[in-house]
Amino acid sequence: MPPATRRPAFWRTAGFRATLYQVLVIALLVGAVAWMTETARQAMHARGIASGFDFLLDRAGFAIGHAFFVFTPQDTYLRAFVVGLGNSLVVAAAGLVTATVMGVALGLSRLSGNWLLSRAAGLYVELFRNTPQLVQIVFWYALFTLLPGPRQAWNLLDLAFVSNRGLLMPWPAQSGVFGLALLLLVPGVFLARAFLRLADRRRRAGRPLRGTALLAAVVLLAPSAVGWLALGAPTGWSVPALRGFNFVGGLGLSPEFLALYFGLSFYIAAFVAEIVRAGILSVGRGQVEAAQAIGLGRADLYRKIVFPQAMRVVVPPLAAQYISLVKNSSLGVAIGYPELFSVTNTVLTLSGHTIEAIAIMALVYLVLALAIGALADIVNRAVRIRER
């Protein structure tokens, strides 16, 4: 009978040693950061430089132009950060939607059998992808500043006006209700998707629903309609009109916002187009031919065969481009758009809390990037093809 082997003590196991080394490395890094922070704090204190985050509740004393949110010089530095972040998110969200729509259209156009359409899409991609984004933003800004003044503004059916003051367009009088209705489109998308799955199962079972597309649109808009009705169903619109030397009413988008929006959207759209094209080309030709052989139409071919498989390839690089778009919104500082970087620059100049202000800005961008990455991971898990 062989002798029984004795189990080694836990501190002699490879797992314990690996954990111990990692804990020691982390403790060393934390200690180094704490030592550098305290040293910097003492050096700043010795030179009479204020430190800490108490300044956030001090009166800012400056105004923010072209802000989507109300801000006065009597507000605090903390609110200034919030307003700067809000401006960054507005232009980033608008740019993200536009870049996605344009990128998908351009990617499909590059694969089109139409020679002119394919070459035009290719020219766009090469032009916008291979020129610096900052140059594009400055170009758009210079273009808007060369437009005629308010009295000679380009008139679009007496509803919208384009001039060197930017774009003026109609806007709901109760913008809060309108914003809530837009937010309620998110649950509407999930409800519409569930409805389409149900309709597809009925179609496979030989019991198709009539007017599926119309019913899906109703399901999509139902949450927004309920919210709108619950808040009194306001219907008033504010329409811009020329009064004296400028316009009043409506929604005004400044040249700075438009230049940054165009610069972000058009630049990222070129990369999205290539990502979409690569994703579609990654689907095997045999699967497309098999789908055509069983009689699937072009729309069903893309919806059921091509896009679900292409999404596995598209989502990770697409998330990287979205993160890049959000971070590159800081380029608005070059043309005076009051986004987070621009506001932080003003705050650190007036308050003297340079390290704290930059740390707050970096932390905000880090959280935004991690949030987009986490959301992309969720989408990637949802669209992955489960194999046995």
Side-chain angles (χ1 to χ4, degrees):
M1 181 177 181
T5 57
R6 294 181 57 188
R7 296 182 58 187
F10 73 90
W11 61 83
R12 293 183 176 178
T13 60
F16 175 78
R17 288 198 299 272
T19 303
L20 178 62
Y21 295 152
Q22 294 179 56
V23 170
L24 289 176
V25 169
I26 292 174
L28 187 62
L29 290 175
V30 171
V33 171
W35 177 78
M36 288 188 291
T37 303
E38 179 60 20
T39 302
R41 191 191 67 79
Q42 292 179 3
M44 293 170 64
H45 180 72
R47 289 167 175 75
I49 301 175
S51 61
F53 293 91
D54 296 342
F55 77 98
L56 289 174
L57 300 180
D58 293 344
R59 178 176 170 272
F62 66 92
I64 297 179
H66 315 293
F68 286 97
F69 309 93
V70 177
F71 183 82
T72 66
Q74 286 70 38
D75 289 322
T76 63
Y77 286 120
L78 179 60
R79 182 170 177 79
F81 275 113
V82 174
V83 171
L85 173 61
N87 287 343
S88 293
L89 291 178
V90 169
V91 72
L96 189 147
V97 173
T98 305
T100 303
V101 174
M102 287 183 62
V104 172
L106 288 166
L108 294 174
S109 298
R110 290 209 69 182
L111 297 172
S112 171
N114 186 300
W115 184 89
L116 180 60
L117 184 62
S118 175
R119 295 302 183 276
L123 178 62
Y124 175 94
V125 170
E126 298 301 333
L127 177 63
F128 282 88
R129 187 178 59 175
N130 295 310
T131 52
Q133 190 172 22
L134 181 58
V135 173
Q136 296 181 27
I137 292 172
V138 173
F139 168 79
W140 291 117
Y141 182 64
L143 188 64
F144 278 111
T145 57
L146 294 176
L147 292 177
R151 287 182 178 275
Q152 294 79 34
W154 295 347
N155 186 340
L156 305 176
L157 303 176
D158 284 336
L159 294 175
F161 302 89
V162 181
S163 69
N164 58 8
R165 304 290 177 88
L167 171 65
L168 279 298
M169 60 184 183
W171 192 250
Q174 296 191 26
S175 55
V177 178
F178 180 68
L180 178 63
L182 287 180
L183 284 178
L184 289 176
L185 282 176
V186 176
V189 169
F190 288 100
L191 290 175
R193 184 181 178 188
F195 172 78
L196 288 174
R197 287 185 174 180
L198 174 64
D200 189 57
R201 283 200 294 269
R202 287 180 61 95
R203 184 180 64 83
R204 290 171 181 270
R207 296 179 290 115
L209 288 172
R210 291 185 177 179
T212 301
L214 179 60
L215 290 174
V218 171
V219 173
L220 171 67
L221 299 175
S224 299
V226 171
W228 176 67
L229 290 171
L231 294 175
T235 57
W237 284 75
S238 174
V239 179
L242 184 62
R243 295 285 186 273
F245 296 101
N246 206 348
F247 289 96
V248 295
L251 175 66
L253 301 177
S254 67
E256 291 82 5
F257 173 86
L258 293 172
L260 183 59
Y261 163 68
F262 283 3
L264 293 174
S265 305
F266 294 171
Y267 180 79
I268 297 297
F271 291 89
V272 174
E274 289 300 273
I275 293 171
V276 171
R277 186 170 71 96
I280 292 175
L281 290 177
S282 69
V283 180
R285 182 63 188 169
Q287 297 191 41
V288 175
E289 293 175 349
Q292 291 172 338
I294 62 175
L296 278 183
R298 192 172 183 81
D300 282 341
L301 169 65
Y302 275 94
R303 187 167 65 89
K304 296 179 179 297
I305 305 297
V306 176
F307 285 149
Q309 298 185 74
M311 287 293 285
R312 294 179 301 166
V313 180
V314 166
V315 171
L318 197 59
Q321 292 302 322
Y322 289 165
I323 292 173
S324 176
L325 188 149
V326 172
K327 291 190 295 185
N328 288 348
S329 65
S330 60
L331 293 175
V333 69
I335 55 174
Y337 178 69
E339 40 69 47
L340 181 60
F341 187 92
S342 178
V343 171
T344 301
N345 198 26
T346 305
V347 169
L348 67 88
T349 301
L350 296 179
S351 68
H353 292 258
T354 305
I355 301 298
E356 294 86 345
I358 294 177
I360 292 172
M361 177 179 61
L363 181 63
V364 169
Y365 280 121
L366 177 64
V367 170
L368 290 176
L370 292 177
I372 293 174
L375 187 60
D377 188 54
I378 293 173
V379 174
N380 203 28
R381 290 172 183 271
V383 300
R384 71 179 179 182
I385 296 177
R386 293 170 178 78
E387 299 177 350
R388 287 179 294 179

